[in-house]
């Protein structure tokens, strides 16, 4: 905390999520907000669909943090069939920004201005309207980008606003080098004040899981939101449907939920796969890896998957596609196997390379956990909290980003 005239003053920090769901991208800001609140700083959270039952959100409430729901109007719209067209992502974002503007104005009557607003993006440009609002209100902000994908290029109509959001941020945080590089390519500009940040994880940093029995075959875990467009579960199902994989003692557990669960379950049934099961959502991640031998991640788009970090720390190898930051943590044949592209043939080839070395999985997994601990901190959220405090504690050079914008 900042010292002034012999006493410490708490910082006022706001976290705004531009994501309408709760996924891996929410864990960083939530855990960081808890770390800051526990250190005595004044934290406010703004999110559409704020889950009051989530552990971090409950903890924030217990610490008397401000919890602000941005989505009641959009939920009402979603219940009215004749207004269903208004429930599009753009309309929901517009309503959320309007709610954010209203709540910020009300808060000004009770609290001093925020030292910084941390905008957490599920992707790499969905939070730019929030950044534009911060600039209009004269609030310093920082952007966190959790994913960049060739599947989601920004519209030409919004490129100028998106470029401005990055240009005027006090800091730009990316979860992988790939996310930063593709973002710069998509907006056609270098992103200044950029650095990497890691997501927190839900397994022990220094205690890999014991190797499970393989008497009834090897078990892969495919962990993530059930969304075939980005997560590629359909690719894995098609590969498993080949005669070669049907004949092998290998099974896959799909862990997670999402809007395409029924479709993927029906695809598995259509392909007559009896070696897969859908386990839904589980919070005991460590227990899951205690019963599985490797991670299968057939994604078409990623940032730096939390599930990849959790699997490696648990002492498991990973079979992944070369998307997002996957290859930044893995080395082919050393701690995992990398499919060159999110295609059935490439995924099949990577699985085959892994299968041919299945007797080494235990040793490779143990080495993977040791290797990863040299690359990631034990508590990423506390580290990010410290970086945010450094950010607000350092004076702006010649004024805030908003003041620079006004002059230029």
């Amino acid at each position: 905390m900042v010292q002034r005239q012999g006493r410490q003053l708490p910082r006022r920090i706001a976290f705004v999520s531009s994501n309408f769901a709760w996924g891996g991208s929410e864990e960083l800001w939530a855990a960081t907000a808890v770390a800051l609140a526990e250190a005595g700083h004044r934290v406010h959270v703004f999110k559409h669909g704020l889950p009051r039952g989530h552990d971090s959100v409950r903890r924030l409430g217990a610490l008397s943090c401000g919890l602000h729901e941005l989505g009641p109007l959009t939920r009402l719209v979603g219940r009215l069939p004749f207004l269903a067209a208004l429930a599009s992502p753009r309309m929901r974002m517009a309503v959320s920004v309007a709610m954010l503007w209203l709540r910020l104005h009300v808060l000004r009557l009770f609290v001093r201005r925020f030292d910084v607003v941390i905008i957490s993006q599920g992707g790499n440009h969905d939070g730019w309207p929030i950044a534009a609002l911060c600039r209009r209100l004269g609030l310093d902000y920082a952007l966190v980008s959790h994913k960049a994908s060739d599947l989601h290029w920004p519209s030409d109509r919004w490129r100028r606003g998106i470029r401005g959001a990055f240009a005027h941020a006090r800091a730009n945080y990316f979860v992988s080098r790939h996310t930063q590089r593709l973002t710069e390519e998509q907006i056609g500009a270098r992103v200044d004040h950029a650095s990497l940040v890691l997501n927190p994880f839900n397994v022990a940093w220094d205690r890999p899981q014991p190797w499970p029995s393989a008497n009834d075959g090897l078990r892969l875990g495919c962990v993530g939101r059930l969304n075939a467009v980005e997560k590629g579960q359909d690719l894995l199902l098609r590969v498993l449907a080949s005669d070669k994989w049907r004949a092998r003692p290998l099974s896959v557990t799909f862990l997670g939920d999402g809007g395409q669960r029924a479709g993927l379950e029906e695809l598995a049934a259509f392909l007559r796969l009896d070696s897969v099961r859908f386990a839904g959502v589980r919070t005991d991640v460590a227990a899951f890896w205690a019963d599985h031998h490797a991670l299968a991640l057939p994604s078409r788009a990623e940032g730096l998957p939390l599930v990849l970090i959790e699997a490696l720390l648990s002492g498991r190898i990973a079979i992944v596609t070369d998307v997002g930051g996957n290859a930044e943590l893995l080395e082919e044949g050393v701690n995992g196997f990398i499919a060159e592209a999110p295609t059935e043939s490439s995924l099949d080839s990577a699985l085959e390379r892994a299968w041919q070395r299945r007797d080494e999985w235990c040793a490779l997994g143990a080495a993977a956990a040791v290797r990863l601990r040299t690359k990631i901190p034990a508590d990423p959220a506390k580290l990010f909290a410290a970086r945010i405090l450094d950010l607000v504690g350092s004076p702006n050079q010649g004024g805030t980003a908003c003041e620079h914008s006004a002059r230029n």
Side-chain angles (χ1 to χ4, degrees):
M1 286 184 278
V2 176
Q3 292 188 355
R4 184 178 298 174
Q5 297 179 349
R7 64 189 181 93
Q8 291 184 325
L9 296 178
R11 287 302 200 181
R12 295 172 173 82
I13 300 168
F15 290 86
V16 184
S17 171
S18 61
N19 199 354
F20 295 114
W22 189 282
S25 63
E26 307 302 297
E27 299 296 336
L28 177 61
W29 71 255
T32 304
V34 169
L36 288 166
E38 289 178 338
H41 299 282
R42 297 177 183 173
V43 173
H44 285 261
V45 170
F46 303 82
K47 176 171 169 54
H48 182 285
L50 190 65
R52 301 280 175 162
H54 188 278
D55 289 345
S56 293
V57 178
R58 284 204 307 266
R59 180 61 181 152
L60 289 169
L63 291 166
S64 300
C65 298
L67 302 177
H68 309 277
E69 169 62 55
L70 299 179
L73 291 180
T74 53
R75 286 202 300 272
L76 175 62
V77 166
R79 294 190 180 102
L80 301 176
F82 60 91
L83 292 178
L86 298 180
S88 67
R90 286 182 181 176
M91 181 56 67
R92 285 188 295 170
M93 176 56 73
V95 173
S96 291
V97 171
M99 291 290 295
L100 177 62
W101 175 86
L102 177 62
R103 290 186 178 275
L104 287 173
H105 274 283
V106 171
L107 278 174
R108 283 183 171 182
L109 300 176
F110 303 99
V111 301
R112 294 169 56 189
R113 67 185 289 121
F114 294 114
D115 292 294
V116 70
V117 178
I118 307 298
I119 303 171
S120 177
Q121 305 186 105
N124 65 335
H125 56 264
D126 43 291
W128 79 265
I130 299 171
L133 175 62
C134 288
R135 290 165 60 190
R136 180 178 292 273
L137 297 177
L139 294 171
D140 279 348
Y141 67 90
L143 286 169
V144 184
S145 297
H146 283 275
K147 177 179 62 184
S149 169
D150 290 308
L151 300 175
H152 305 291
W153 274 66
S155 165
D156 287 347
R157 181 179 179 184
W158 309 118
R159 278 169 51 82
R160 181 177 178 183
I162 296 167
R163 189 184 294 120
F166 286 105
H168 295 286
R170 283 289 306 276
N172 290 293
Y173 302 105
F174 297 91
V175 298
S176 68
R177 290 187 293 273
H178 169 271
T179 302
Q180 179 181 348
R181 183 179 67 251
L182 184 52
T183 296
E184 291 176 335
E185 292 172 353
Q186 289 180 339
I187 66 174
R190 295 295 180 191
V191 175
D192 295 326
H193 312 299
S195 61
L196 298 182
V197 65
L198 288 172
N199 280 310
F201 36 84
N202 298 306
V203 298
W205 183 75
D206 57 352
R207 294 191 303 277
Q209 293 291 331
W211 191 249
S213 170
N215 290 337
D216 57 347
L218 292 171
R219 295 177 294 280
L220 304 182
C222 184
V223 184
R225 178 167 45 92
L226 297 183
N227 180 291
V229 173
E230 292 193 354
K231 298 301 184 179
Q233 293 97 341
D234 59 309
L235 297 175
L236 182 55
L237 290 173
R238 293 191 189 99
V239 169
L240 295 173
S242 69
D243 292 339
K244 173 179 68 175
W245 292 109
R246 288 183 189 274
R248 290 171 170 173
L250 180 75
S251 62
V252 178
T253 302
F254 290 90
L255 186 68
D257 207 347
Q260 294 178 347
R261 176 171 178 170
L264 289 167
E265 288 179 334
E266 290 174 7
L267 174 59
F270 178 76
L271 296 173
R272 300 190 300 280
L273 290 173
D274 55 12
S275 61
V276 305
R277 70 185 182 96
F278 292 81
V281 177
R282 289 177 56 176
T283 57
D284 53 343
V285 179
F288 178 81
W289 287 118
D291 191 45
H292 289 77
H293 301 93
L295 169 70
L297 204 63
S299 309
R300 293 182 171 99
E302 286 290 355
L304 187 66
L306 171 63
V307 297
L308 176 57
I309 294 175
E310 291 173 340
L312 295 177
L313 285 177
S314 298
R316 305 299 183 254
I317 66 161
I319 301 111
V320 306
T321 48
D322 188 7
V323 299
N326 288 346
E328 295 172 26
L329 287 184
L330 292 182
E331 184 177 348
E332 170 67 29
V334 176
N335 55 354
F337 299 87
I338 305 172
E340 295 178 352
T343 64
E344 293 170 42
S345 60
S346 294
L347 183 60
D348 177 75
S349 178
L351 278 170
E352 182 63 35
R353 295 195 301 275
W355 180 260
Q356 294 304 322
R357 296 181 61 184
R358 60 192 180 279
D359 292 339
E360 302 175 55
W361 284 13
C362 179
L364 293 176
V370 173
R371 179 187 179 96
L372 187 60
R373 288 199 296 271
T374 67
K375 293 187 175 185
I376 66 170
D379 195 335
K382 284 190 176 179
L383 182 61
F384 189 38
R387 291 170 67 182
I388 291 172
L389 293 178
D390 287 342
L391 180 68
V392 299
S394 60
N396 289 312
Q397 300 298 317
T400 67
C402 297
E403 288 169 344
H404 280 302
S405 175
R407 285 199 295 268
N408 295 331

